[in-house]
Amino acid sequence: GGMLYYTYKGEDSNEQIMQGPRVALSTLTKAELSFYMYHGVEADPEDVVLEVWACYNDADWKKLGTVDYNNGATGWARSSFALETPEAPEGYAPSNIQIAFRGITTVPSASIFIDKIAIADGVDVDAALVGISGAKRANPGEFQMFSFAVANYGIKDLSDYKVALTISDGELTQEDE
């Protein structure tokens, strides 16, 4: 593997584009692009951004979305985008896609790192606990408040879910919606 890296080089070179090769979509039914991006707080929101673009069957490029460097996450965080699976036009077999990343850094305080880029079938539900805050320690029977951050990388909406805390022997001690 390798890692994609964008950094501020000066006023004349604060954005770069990396375009990947054509990838066949013929075996995918719920195609999804996923990757990990390093996030931090060294730049103001929108000063360091990553735009994600797709080109289906050599047609026009479409912007899939934007990921801000300073979006509340810190460290490596997964991003994903659902992809179309259009029928290949006549003369093109199979249907294909190209992905491009446009890194924009307007300040020298932060760089963009991207890793583990993949195109694969997405799953309906793919929830991840991406943050937890609260007391570092709780005694048995002691009431403590915790906050959870849950990310949904799946295709279906995840508005109704539960977070369960367990103790080391596996007994359920708390469940929250």
Side-chain angles (χ1 to χ4, degrees), residues 51-114:
E51 293 179 353
V52 183
W53 293 78
C55 176
Y56 298 96
N57 298 317
D58 298 318
D60 293 332
W61 286 90
K62 296 179 180 180
K63 186 175 175 182
L64 297 176
T66 301
V67 182
D68 289 328
Y69 173 82
N70 183 353
N71 66 356
T74 54
W76 290 99
R78 183 173 181 251
S79 293
S80 64
F81 295 91
L83 301 174
E84 299 171 17
T85 49
E87 291 294 320
E90 192 168 326
Y92 289 86
S95 182
N96 67 71
I97 188 173
Q98 283 184 278
I99 299 295
F101 294 97
R102 179 178 178 228
I104 304 165
T105 58
T106 60
V107 294
S109 60
S111 298
I112 299 173
F113 295 90
I114 307 168

Side-chain angles (χ1 to χ4, degrees), residues 2 17 44 52 59 70 72 80 86 96-97 108 111 119-120 126 133 139 165 169 171:
I17 297 173
D44 289 332
V52 183
N70 183 353
S80 64
N96 67 71
I97 188 173
S111 298
I119 295 176
D126 185 6
S133 62
N139 295 319
L165 294 176
D169 65 4
E171 288 183 40

